[in-house]
Amino acid sequence: MFLALKEIKHEKMRYGLIVFMIFLIAYMILATWGLAYGLARENTVALEGWQTKSVVLNKNANLFMNSSILTKDDLKKIDLTDKEAVVGELQVVAKKKGKTGINAQYMGVKKGEFIYKDQDVIAGRRAKSKYEVTADSSFKDKGYKVTLNGSDHKYTIVGFVKDAKINIEPIMCGFLPAWKELKNVAPGIEASGIISQRKLSVKGKNFKAYGIKEFTQKLPGHSEQNMTFELMIAFMFIISLAIVAVFLYILTIQKLPNYAVLRAQGVPAKTLIWATVSQSLLLVTSALVLALLAIWGTAAAIPASVPMAFTPGIFVATIGGMLVMGLLGGLNPVRTILKIDPVQAIGG
């Protein structure tokens, strides 16, 4: 460690550039991971808020709630408790004169069920009448009237709800009668599906219960998006390993005469190896500290419309992964150090 610190202190510019390169990679990994988690969270944040464990849908809907319909007879065959909520979902475009249309998901619910009662209303109040809705907080203007999908009726936003999003689109929460009207369903159609806080295993001729994991994996683009970001993050870790390994190998080659002198003076090879490894870990640690500070500043300054979010696990995984990459990179020149011939130091 002493040799590592002395060398870094002596070659500030050289090692500063290495730290800067590792910092950029660590920052990019954190930013990419934060965006990946933020986007994934916006796909499922409403489902998580409802503590969803299973979803009942029409068998032919391909796990897509917008395409699912449940009849009155279907609902009679399911033992509904206070852990279930019957919902009607419909993709809508919220329009207001002079403003760009907003793609949203209209969610029709029942007043007595938990989705309605547990809304985290941060401004205004819950909807009370057929043409009132609460909307995700991304709808900025409180209380304005909007038209949904060209309806003849104006829907009034009476409250804003925190984290009311599904499949990256904001939810407008109203009532089932309005959903039936907007969707123009046939008589006897009661809902799109059932959101349950229990692990259901019900199955009928027309419907089936699906676990939350299976349901979310089928959300449009959810799996593909997560896989893309995971591959990007994996490549960034590999790039960080390559950068650390290459720089340390080059530095070791440049320092071979110095190492040869130290070996001739009786300095053990393990001391030189530890100096190289500890130097690598110091460089990576310094870069990680800078990257964490930078990403916290970015997260604080970034607009709310950009879905960047973090968990402790993201920070732990990034720090652990980068340190492992640094350790592996530091071990790269070990073979070269072990092959140093001390005789070279005295011109033999």
Side-chain angles (χ1 to χ4, degrees):
M1 184 68 76
F2 173 77
L3 286 174
L5 288 171
K6 291 291 287 183
E7 190 172 358
I8 291 173
K9 187 177 179 181
H10 185 262
E11 296 284 354
K12 296 183 183 69
M13 179 62 73
R14 177 185 295 178
Y15 288 103
L17 290 173
I18 297 174
V19 168
F20 181 68
M21 290 294 295
I22 301 171
F23 154 76
L24 289 178
I25 295 171
Y27 178 82
M28 287 299 298
I29 289 173
L30 285 168
T32 303
W33 214 327
L35 289 170
Y37 175 71
L39 282 169
R41 184 172 177 271
E42 290 209 340
N43 268 318
T44 60
V45 64
L47 294 168
E48 291 171 9
W50 298 332
Q51 300 175 33
T52 309
K53 296 251 177 43
S54 53
V55 179
V56 180
L57 299 172
N58 188 290
K59 282 183 178 179
N60 299 315
N62 195 28
L63 279 90
F64 189 45
M65 190 174 286
N66 271 319
S67 301
S68 174
I69 53 171
L70 296 181
T71 65
K72 189 178 293 185
D73 290 337
D74 292 333
L75 295 180
K76 286 179 180 178
K77 296 173 184 176
I78 303 170
D79 182 22
L80 299 176
T81 70
D82 60 358
K83 297 292 184 181
E84 280 76 50
V86 178
V87 300
E89 185 180 6
L90 174 68
Q91 188 165 35
V92 295
V93 178
K95 297 178 180 179
K96 183 190 177 185
K97 189 175 181 180
K99 289 186 175 290
T100 305
I102 300 175
N103 291 326
Q105 296 287 339
Y106 185 89
M107 192 73 69
V109 299
K110 292 183 178 180
K111 276 188 180 181
E113 295 178 342
F114 70 84
I115 290 181
Y116 176 82
K117 294 190 292 185
D118 295 346
Q119 293 179 82
D120 185 10
V121 180
I122 57 175
R125 58 173 174 82
R126 288 187 292 234
K128 293 180 181 178
S129 64
K130 184 177 179 180
Y131 298 114
E132 290 183 343
V133 294
T134 54
D136 178 70
S137 54
S138 58
F139 281 82
K140 301 294 185 183
D141 300 322
K142 181 179 177 182
Y144 66 72
K145 294 182 178 181
V146 295
T147 302
L148 301 181
N149 286 6
S151 170
D152 294 332
H153 297 280
K154 295 289 186 180
Y155 288 74
T156 303
I157 298 175
V158 295
F160 291 97
V161 179
K162 182 180 179 183
D163 290 336
K165 283 192 173 81
I166 188 167
N167 202 24
I168 316 182
E169 292 184 338
I171 291 174
M172 303 185 77
C173 188
F175 299 107
L176 280 169
W179 168 79
K180 292 178 185 180
E181 186 177 290
L182 284 166
K183 196 173 177 69
N184 194 24
V185 299
I189 303 301
E190 290 296 313
S192 297
I194 298 170
I195 303 292
S196 178
Q197 295 177 330
R198 299 184 296 160
K199 290 184 178 179
L200 296 179
S201 57
V202 296
K203 189 175 182 180
K205 182 181 178 181
N206 300 316
F207 61 85
K208 182 181 177 182
Y210 301 91
I212 186 60
K213 186 175 181 181
E214 185 178 4
F215 176 70
T216 54
Q217 288 302 312
K218 280 285 188 176
L219 289 172
H222 182 68
S223 299
E224 296 82 357
Q225 168 193 293
N226 288 348
M227 189 176 295
T228 301
F229 277 114
E230 285 166 6
L231 286 172
M232 288 173 62
I233 292 166
F235 281 131
M236 287 180 187
F237 274 121
I238 294 170
I239 292 169
S240 71
L241 169 61
I243 286 177
V244 174
V246 168
F247 272 108
L248 288 178
Y249 182 76
I250 293 172
L251 291 173
T252 300
I253 296 298
Q254 292 176 339
K255 294 183 292 187
L256 281 179
N258 298 332
Y259 282 160
V261 171
L262 291 171
R263 289 296 304 279
Q265 292 176 339
V267 176
K270 65 179 183 181
T271 301
L272 300 179
I273 292 170
W274 171 240
T276 302
V277 172
S278 61
Q279 189 177 80
S280 172
L281 293 176
L282 277 171
L283 295 175
V284 172
T285 301
S286 300
L288 279 169
V289 171
L290 294 174
L292 287 171
L293 292 173
I295 204 67
W296 282 331
T298 301
I302 205 164
S305 57
V306 179
M308 180 178 281
F310 298 94
T311 64
I314 290 176
F315 292 118
V316 170
T318 302
I319 292 169
M322 289 296 292
L323 288 175
V324 168
M325 295 300 104
L327 179 63
L328 293 175
L331 292 173
N332 179 55
V334 165
R335 189 166 175 269
T336 303
I337 294 173
L338 290 174
K339 289 171 64 178
I340 292 174
D341 184 2
V343 175
Q344 293 178 6
I346 54 177

